[in-house]
Amino acid sequence: MICYLTFIYSLLQDTRDESNETKASKMSKLKRTRKKVTKLHAFSTEIGEMDTSDSKDDSNDSTQMPTAPQLSSRMKHIKQEMAKNHLQFVRFEATDLHGVSRSKSIPAHFFQEKVIHGVYMPRGYLELIPSPKDNEVDHIRATCFNSDIVLMPELSTFRVLPWAERTARVICDTFTVTGEPLLTSPRHIAKRQLSQLQDFGFSLFSAFIYDFCIFGVPEIINSKTISLPASTLLNNHDQPFIQELVDGLYHTGANVESFSSSTRPGQMEICFLPEFGISSADNAFTLRTGVKEVARKYNYIASFFIETGFCNSGILSHSLWDLDGKKNMFCSSSGIEQLTITGEKWLAGLLKHSAAISCLMAPAVSCRKRYSKESREQKESVPTTWGYNDNSCAFNIKCHGEKGTRIENKLGSATANPYLVLAATVAAGLDGLQSTDGVFAGPEDSTDLHQPKPSEIPLKLEDALMALEEDQCLRQALGETFIRYFVAMKKYELENEETDAERNKFLEYFI
């Protein structure tokens, strides 16, 4: 990381004064710079060790650290974009535990300095619940919330925002001020799992499919007022809104494959093109902020919140490929509707850990109601289902289309953090790959074939949290620190839940 920061610093200084300096003076400045950077970044070694495995690259390998020529090219491109678009501000964005963007905006002329030193933010911004109470910080450890963290930008995510005037954004990874990665950071956890997957010789090719609702904005919004869905979105009157959203997402690097109205008035579905590595979660993170900003320009409110009668899903469609990105490891060479052995083992892992990962994918009481939407009986849990080309299943295997065989993880709700959805899916799948269990029968096959123990999805969030606490594999994969904090946070939310205000609280938070 020392070399990385030194290179960035020297590159910025050289390009700033390129026309006025001689080669000798540049070399002298570079030497002084190295000493300065070493002093300012006493924790650089620790960050460097993480970045070697976690930094994003332009290739399919999302865990390889960018080379010096790549960094040089990126910085030059960023400087050109800033000048071309007359940028005034750059947002340094990071995800909180709920998948909501938390950011600090800086004047564009400070960008070069902040690339090196990072941007400081109170840790509590990323870890507190939507409506914190006065005593909330005492629920776990007050010291966790009273410190600053550092937002360090990932330069490959720098984009000019089409929906914000003269503003760009860059997605950041989060560190403590002593240099350790923030262990509760969803993006860090996801990148760590992708690195583990790469160690097994695989890369993840994935895309999110989101439902969200568009509400008309009433003249006054308060705790007692909730607007009705904008039914006009079902006709062509709102084409400008959708066109601006899709075009804006394209210019931020998030390619939309399709969009459509969904099952209810004001409900929309948007599908992204699949990408390798962390990019699919980055695209989902971009949508969650972008759709809200564009909607407000058209006097709408966009929300991913799930309420009774609505089913806003957040599906992760994914497949495993070799490291070169040339072969889909789920595709059977026979051409029939069947998973390979690798695919079957991956699916077995998802089924085995479905109870535990469900609390990460449906992290609120209201999210879990859709698990039992077709049952009128009072149950504690429902079976985890899977099938081929069956959209009613929790894990739907699709073998048709140009994308090849892929698995749709449909446990996720639209309010779930996309980085946690990706991380939990990879962690469960990896355990399946390492399992010594045999292959299992299809959903309609003979029962005399070996099948893993039937899995169940708890309907109560409390039971799902207990399953997560007891799942040793996920505790190790996602980290003890994250698990302890996530469970404690959710238990606090449950203890302080105000049923009548829940809808308003989450609607206002997720808009």
Side-chain angles (χ1 to χ4, degrees):
M1 189 64 176
I2 288 283
C3 294
Y4 170 75
L5 293 172
T6 302
F7 175 79
I8 288 290
Y9 193 92
S10 61
L11 173 67
L12 297 177
Q13 294 291 354
D14 288 349
T15 54
R16 182 182 300 164
D17 301 318
E18 193 171 22
S19 60
N20 298 323
E21 291 189 307
T22 65
K23 183 176 181 180
S25 64
K26 287 183 181 179
M27 291 301 295
S28 176
K29 175 178 286 188
L30 182 56
K31 292 179 180 178
R32 295 195 304 270
T33 296
R34 285 175 177 162
K35 294 179 181 179
K36 182 177 180 181
V37 173
T38 302
K39 182 178 179 180
L40 289 173
H41 295 274
F43 57 90
S44 299
T45 302
E46 289 90 338
I47 298 178
E49 290 173 354
M50 192 211 73
D51 278 0
T52 299
S53 62
D54 284 351
S55 291
K56 181 179 177 181
D57 190 24
D58 292 330
S59 66
N60 293 342
D61 180 0
S62 63
T63 61
Q64 186 179 17
M65 184 173 177
T67 63
Q70 289 172 332
L71 289 171
S72 175
S73 175
R74 287 175 185 172
M75 284 307 306
K76 289 179 180 178
H77 174 73
I78 288 173
K79 289 175 64 68
Q80 291 169 358
E81 286 292 298
M82 295 178 75
K84 175 183 175 182
N85 293 279
H86 306 287
L87 295 183
Q88 286 185 315
F89 301 102
V90 179
R91 292 181 192 168
F92 281 56
E93 294 191 22
T95 176
D96 68 7
L97 282 173
H98 300 273
V100 175
S101 172
R102 300 294 190 177
S103 67
K104 276 198 171 183
S105 296
I106 64 165
H109 56 268
F110 287 130
F111 178 75
Q112 296 181 350
E113 175 185 339
K114 299 303 180 182
V115 165
I116 302 169
H117 303 296
V119 172
Y120 294 95
M121 173 182 283
R123 181 170 178 171
Y125 284 12
L126 301 182
E127 293 181 341
L128 295 185
I129 65 172
S131 300
K133 307 295 189 299
D134 291 338
N135 64 340
E136 181 188 357
V137 296
D138 299 323
H139 189 64
I140 304 176
R141 283 194 311 156
T143 54
C144 290
F145 306 102
N146 294 332
S147 61
D148 278 349
I149 57 171
V150 187
L151 306 183
M152 294 301 297
E154 189 165 296
L155 296 182
S156 61
T157 65
F158 181 94
R159 297 289 187 277
V160 177
L161 294 176
W163 45 73
E165 186 176 357
R166 298 174 69 178
T167 300
R169 78 94 209 268
V170 62
I171 298 176
C172 299
D173 290 312
T174 52
F175 300 88
T176 67
V177 293
T178 55
E180 297 86 10
L182 193 65
L183 297 181
T184 57
S185 165
R187 194 169 190 267
H188 166 68
I189 295 170
K191 291 171 76 173
R192 190 174 63 204
Q193 286 305 300
L194 290 173
S195 179
Q196 291 287 324
L197 184 63
Q198 187 184 62
D199 291 342
F200 276 82
F202 299 110
S203 56
L204 188 75
F205 193 53
S206 63
F208 279 88
I209 304 170
Y210 270 118
D211 286 339
F212 57 90
C213 288
I214 302 298
F215 295 88
V217 179
E219 291 184 4
I220 299 177
I221 296 180
N222 54 50
S223 60
K224 301 295 183 181
T225 304
I226 293 296
S227 53
L228 297 175
S231 59
T232 54
L233 206 60
L234 294 177
N235 58 40
N236 290 331
H237 293 168
D238 294 274
Q239 281 294 101
F241 162 64
I242 289 295
Q243 288 172 348
E244 181 171 347
L245 174 63
V246 172
D247 185 62
L249 288 170
Y250 172 79
H251 283 93
T252 59
N255 291 313
V256 174
E257 182 179 39
S258 66
F259 63 88
S260 64
S261 58
S262 195
T263 56
R264 289 173 174 83
Q267 191 179 38
M268 299 295 297
E269 179 188 87
I270 192 163
C271 307
F272 289 104
L273 282 173
E275 296 193 39
F276 285 100
I278 198 72
S279 295
S280 61
D282 284 343
N283 291 343
F285 179 64
T286 300
L287 167 70
R288 293 165 70 87
T289 300
V291 67
K292 301 167 192 175
E293 294 193 71
V294 177
R296 291 196 177 191
K297 293 174 63 176
Y298 289 83
N299 206 31
Y300 291 142
I301 290 176
S303 178
F304 295 93
F305 172 72
I306 299 174
E307 58 167 326
T308 302
F310 283 86
C311 180
N312 285 344
S313 61
I315 300 169
L316 178 62
S317 177
H318 66 283
S319 55
L320 286 189
W321 291 63
D322 61 11
L323 291 180
D324 294 328
K326 296 179 179 179
K327 182 179 180 181
N328 184 337
M329 307 305 292
F330 286 174
C331 277
S332 173
S333 57
S334 62
I336 61 176
E337 195 175 65
Q338 182 178 350
L339 280 172
T340 60
I341 298 297
T342 298
E344 288 183 350
K345 284 183 170 290
W346 183 272
L347 177 60
L350 295 178
L351 292 169
K352 175 182 176 182
H353 297 284
S354 57
I357 66 177
S358 72
C359 67
L360 298 170
M361 300 188 179
V365 172
S366 55
C367 299
R368 309 188 69 81
K369 295 176 182 178
R370 66 191 190 90
Y371 288 160
S372 60
K373 61 182 178 180
E374 297 179 358
S375 175
R376 296 182 180 180
E377 302 178 22
Q378 294 293 328
K379 297 182 178 180
E380 295 295 319
S381 62
V382 294
T384 308
T385 57
W386 69 277
Y388 288 96
N389 195 23
D390 187 345
N391 290 314
S392 67
C393 293
F395 299 105
N396 183 20
I397 305 163
K398 293 188 174 181
C399 301
H400 54 276
E402 70 279 5
K403 300 175 187 175
T405 304
R406 66 266 186 208
I407 298 175
E408 288 186 347
N409 181 350
K410 305 187 75 170
L411 291 178
S413 71
T415 49
N417 188 311
Y419 296 105
L420 295 180
V421 171
L422 186 147
T425 298
V426 173
L430 272 174
D431 186 54
L433 292 180
Q434 300 174 75
S435 174
T436 57
D437 291 341
V439 297
F440 50 89
E444 298 178 356
D445 290 344
S446 172
T447 56
D448 59 357
L449 296 175
H450 171 74
Q451 287 185 304
K453 181 181 179 181
S455 53
E456 298 274 325
I457 303 173
L459 296 182
K460 293 183 178 180
L461 181 57
E462 298 95 318
D463 295 336
L465 291 171
M466 183 179 299
L468 180 62
E469 287 184 289
E470 296 174 352
D471 194 313
Q472 295 302 317
C473 173
L474 287 185
R475 290 184 72 95
Q476 182 178 0
L478 305 182
E480 289 283 347
T481 300
F482 168 78
I483 296 295
R484 287 199 304 269
Y485 180 81
F486 183 85
V487 171
M489 182 185 72
K490 287 300 172 183
K491 286 183 177 179
Y492 178 85
E493 290 179 6
L494 289 170
E495 292 169 4
N496 292 273
E497 182 183 19
E498 300 174 66
T499 304
D500 294 337
E502 182 190 18
R503 179 185 178 190
N504 289 294
K505 178 179 71 175
F506 280 93
L507 178 65
E508 292 171 0
Y509 182 67
F510 288 108
I511 61 175

